[in-house]
Each structure stands twice: as structure tokens, then as C-alpha cells.
Amino acid sequence: QVQLVESGGGLVQPGGSLRLSCAASGIVFNIYTMGWYRQAPGKQRDLVAIITSGGTTHYADSVKGRFTISRDNAKNTVYLQMNSLKPEDTALYYCNAAHYVPYWGQGTQVTVSS
């Protein structure tokens, strides 16, 4: 059974930082492209960042220079370091594992507000 379990969300002030984690089980983690997506209320789910099995990364323009995605294949975990957070980063953040079949986590809420 595949499980993606996100953690690390919360309430943070503008300009603050959070680190999201996604622990995967039930997949051969090191062959999967791992990603983070987010969905704000009333909006579609959008790509935030992905990291391939080879370590290549891609970011949405809105987060370039502020967010960093990384992976630890020994721990079957992908991370999203989020710095200089803005209110518009507020959303439910989802972990994604993609190979032939995509898998999704349940999401972790990030709220940026003063």
C-alpha cells in the first residue's frame, strides 16, 4: 500500500520559513519523481516544485529563489524548504510521487498571515 505522509505545515508570519516533509512508503522511492503542489481555496492545484530521480529540480516562477526542494533517498523523504513566505503562499500543500502511476498525500496546510 502506497502512503505519502506530509508534515511541517502551520501558521507563519510573512517573511518567515517552514520546512515541509513527505515520507513515502510502498514505492521504490529512488525511481520516482517527487513533487510538491498546492491548492488555495477556490483555485486549482498548481505545481510548486519537482525533483527527479536524478536530482534535477524545477520550480514554479512564483517560488523561485525562495523555495528549495530536496530528497533523501535513504529516508524515502522529500522536503520543501520555504523561505520568505508571503500571504499568497497560503494553501494546502500536497506531496506527489510520479512514475507510471501518480500518488498523492493528504496535504498539509500552510497559512501565512500576520
Side-chain angles (χ1 to χ4, degrees), residues 28-35 50-58 69-73 78 96-99:
V28 182
F29 182 82
N30 60 1
I31 68 172
Y32 275 72
T33 290
M34 300 300 297
I50 60 169
I51 183 167
T52 69
S53 58
T56 300
T57 57
H58 173 78
I69 189 171
S70 61
R71 64 191 297 160
D72 186 336
N73 290 339
V78 62
N96 171 270
H99 189 50

Side-chain angles (χ1 to χ4, degrees), residues 48 58-67:
V48 176
H58 173 78
Y59 296 91
D61 288 343
S62 60
V63 306
K64 281 181 182 176
R66 300 188 298 123
F67 291 11

Side-chain angles (χ1 to χ4, degrees), residues 39-46:
Q39 187 168 19
K43 296 189 176 181
Q44 66 181 20
R45 188 176 299 187
D46 290 327

Side-chain angles (χ1 to χ4, degrees), residues 12-19 38 62-68 80-90 93 110 112-113:
V12 63
Q13 292 187 341
S17 298
L18 283 175
R19 188 194 196 202
R38 66 187 181 187
S62 60
V63 306
K64 281 181 182 176
R66 300 188 298 123
F67 291 11
T68 302
L80 185 68
Q81 178 66 43
M82 306 186 294
N83 299 327
S84 302
L85 282 160
K86 304 175 181 180
E88 51 264 43
D89 295 318
T90 295
Y93 282 70
V110 172
V112 185
S113 174

